[in-house]
Every structure is written in C-alpha cells, then in structure tokens.
Amino acid sequence: MVKVSSLFSQLLSHVPRLEFAGLVARHRAEYRAKGFSCWSQFVAMLFGQLAHADSLREIGNGLTCCLGKLRHLGLTKAPPRSTLAYANAHRPAELFRDLFYRSYQHFQAHGGLGCRKSRFRFKNRLLSLDATVISLCLSLFPWASYRRAKGGVKVHTLLDHDTYLPVFVQITQARLHDVCIAQTLDLNPGSIVAMDMAYVDFDLFARWTERGIFFVTRQKKNAAYEVIETRTPPKHRNILADEIIRPSGRITRKTCPTRLRRVVVWDSRNEREIVLLSNHLDFGATTIAAIYKDRWEIELFFKALKQNLKVKTFLGTSENALMIQIWTALIALLLIKWLHHLSKAGWSLSNLAAMLRLSLFTYRDLMAWLNAPWDTEPIVPTPEQLTLPLPIFKNTSSTRTPT
C-alpha cells in the first residue's frame, strides 16, 4: 500500500494549519459560507500558482483530474469555477496577507531560510527597498488607472538579506510614489537600507539619522551640496572619491542639516560613474559600494516572482481577487524557498519550481525527492490480498428418510 501522500499534500503540511484556522476566525472569512471553506480556496489558488494555471477553469479541471488524491489535501471535490470566483471577489484578501507573515515567522522559528550571499563584517540588519509595477489592461481593471491608456499596481517590497524574502509588502495603485511607502516604515535602529534614487527624500533622511537608521542610495545629478571633508580613497579599488558633504539647497539645508557621505564608484562593466549617498560615516568606501551592489538581490527577487509564479495574468478583475492572487504567489514563493533551503541537491530555485510543477501529484517522499530528485522513483500501490479468517460452519441438518 502507498505509505506517503502526493508531493502537493506534503508541501501543504508545512503550512501552519492551526494558525490558518485562527486567521479565518479573526477575519470572519467564512461568514455565511455554504460549504466552500477558506482552506479549499487557498488550496485551489496555491495549485493555480504552482501548476501555472491560466484560468479558474484550468484550476477546477486540474483538480478534477486528480480526483481520488484530493482527500490528502483536505478537499472533498474540486471547486466549481463560479464558486471560486465568488470567493476571490468577496472574501478578505487580508487573510492571505496575514498567512504570508505567519508562515514566514513559522519557517524562521524552525531553522531559518538561508544566509547572506555576500560577506560583510558588520552585524547590522541589511534591507533593500524597492517596488515593481505589474501592468494591467485598463479596460478590464478600470480601478487601477495608472496613465492615460494604461493600468497597473505597484508591489512595494522591503527585502531582508538574511533570507532574501520580504519582511514587508504593500500593494498599491501604480501612481503612488515610492517614497510615500518609505515614509510609513517603522525600522529598527541600526538597520541599513539600500535603495535607488526614487527614494531620495532629505526630510526622511533626517528622521532616519536621528533614529539611528542608516541608508545607502544614489545621489541625483542636480543635487546641491557643499564638501566639508575629503577623504583619501583606497588604492587599487574602484573608488574615485570619498567625501563628507552637507546639503546646500534652499530647502534641503533646512530639512536635512546633518552631514552625509558621498562616494563615487567606477562601474567598469558599463563604463560610468555611480555616485552614492549615505549617512554612515564610519564604514569604508568599499563597504558602502558593496552594500549598494547587494541591492541587486531585490531585483532578482522580483524576477523570480514574475518568472516562476502567476503574477502577470490574473484570474479575476476585481481588486480583491488580484490581491488574493498576488499574496498567494508570495506564499507559494515562500514555500518553494523553504523547500530549497531543506534540499541538499544543489539545484536552483527556478529548477525546483519547474520540477515541482511537473510532479505535484506524484507519490514520492518529499525529503527523499528534494535530496535526490533523479533517483527517487514514484511509489505505486502494490496489490495485497488480505486473508479474512471466516468461521467454518458445519451442516448439522439431519437427512430425512423417505416414507
């Protein structure tokens, strides 16, 4: 007999089910529900992400084809398309948002999710702040108007470089400026935030400096400043200048009277100068440059999210359905990242996502498959004849003699 369930079922076992039930009760997500549970909705949407389903009908048909294997997932039958569409439009997307953060904390408490790729001497928490725009058809998503003939939403992300996963995500309309989200962040003192020049706000820089929060960003070309101190750049490095400056603009010198660090780095690949701005005055110039270079990890995160999961085509046109799909994509990426952390096979994250998509409903032991994917064969049921100890009845009826 088969002693394990499908890979998809074993993957779902890593989701904190009790906490999921608590979140459902908190958000009253199943209020007046008629048989279709939030867990069934989550399993269907997660299947759509992992299997790259292009429509609600594909999700329903895909789960219907696996009938007989759905009991392990907590489903009795595949959800109808209309039922799933109604749930995505009306059930609170905050349920899936809170599930992402709870799952992140759950995995962090059970051994972490990795370590930094770049080695730094400092022990400060390194973060990257950026946003990516997801384009939408304006005729289908009129609520997401971005430009005259274009729609879109923006996913603002704060990436932790200890796990390379977001610790903060906020989805807004694309027309909202990036710095508006940065002004709402509550960061711990000692944190280092790497970001591009879209977040240059000297009023924000002054508040962060007072709280002991450090940043590394790009300086704008039209920035007005005065040089206070000139430091000697390190030899045989790509550092062209290292200066201590103070903003001298009419408004910036009032909003940010503190001293800042200006480091000019030579980019040999693109043959250009990159001017960095920071409020950390003690780090070496090469460390400042390395921090900004490590900001590229958030671009890789956006690339992995868009290439391996469904965040370009959407299964519903309402704002709530779009939010549910994006949060489910983030949960799916978190689960794949957790499997990648557990695996010892050394394969890439994209290969793991592709192989998992092709093997969702195969019967394999998940840990054996992660460590030796090519040597772990599917488990098939073997026929076993059971012997039933039936009692033997003797014929005690007497024969009648003819008269």
Side-chain angles (χ1 to χ4, degrees), residues 138-154:
L138 193 56
S139 60
L140 296 177
F141 301 88
W143 53 267
S145 59
Y146 177 32
R147 293 176 181 172
R148 179 176 299 178
K150 188 177 181 181
V153 294
K154 189 175 290 186

Side-chain angles (χ1 to χ4, degrees), residues 241-381:
D242 186 5
E243 301 171 336
I244 304 297
I245 65 171
R246 179 183 289 114
S248 61
R250 183 175 59 87
I251 299 177
T252 56
R253 63 184 178 185
K254 297 179 180 180
T255 57
C256 185
T258 59
R259 299 188 303 167
L260 299 176
R261 184 89 168 271
R262 182 177 181 270
V263 178
V264 182
V265 184
W266 174 252
D267 184 7
S268 58
R269 175 177 297 181
N270 300 316
E271 295 184 352
R272 60 172 182 172
E273 292 184 357
I274 299 178
V275 183
L276 302 179
L277 195 66
S278 177
N279 63 341
H280 205 299
L281 307 181
D282 299 329
F283 280 167
T286 55
T287 303
I288 299 294
I291 290 174
Y292 187 79
K293 183 180 180 180
D294 208 42
R295 193 197 69 87
W296 183 250
E297 293 295 334
I298 196 171
E299 303 292 345
L300 297 179
F301 170 79
F302 290 143
K303 181 179 179 180
L305 180 65
K306 293 182 177 180
Q307 287 186 350
N308 299 314
L309 298 166
K310 301 293 293 185
V311 292
K312 291 185 178 180
T313 57
F314 292 93
L315 308 178
T317 57
S318 65
E319 183 177 1
N320 194 75
L322 182 139
M323 297 292 181
I324 288 178
Q325 185 169 341
I326 294 179
W327 282 113
T328 308
L330 291 171
I331 296 172
L333 187 60
L334 177 61
L335 291 172
I336 296 174
K337 177 69 175 180
W338 173 247
L339 296 183
H340 187 262
H341 171 66
L342 296 178
S343 175
K344 299 179 181 179
W347 51 8
S348 63
L349 189 69
S350 58
N351 288 338
L352 175 59
M355 294 302 299
L356 183 63
R357 179 172 67 251
L358 299 175
S359 309
L360 273 179
F361 284 98
T362 58
Y363 280 79
R364 290 178 170 92
D365 182 76
L366 179 60
M367 293 307 302
W369 181 76
L370 288 175
N371 297 328
W374 315 116
D375 300 330
T376 306
E377 297 181 356
I379 302 175
V380 295

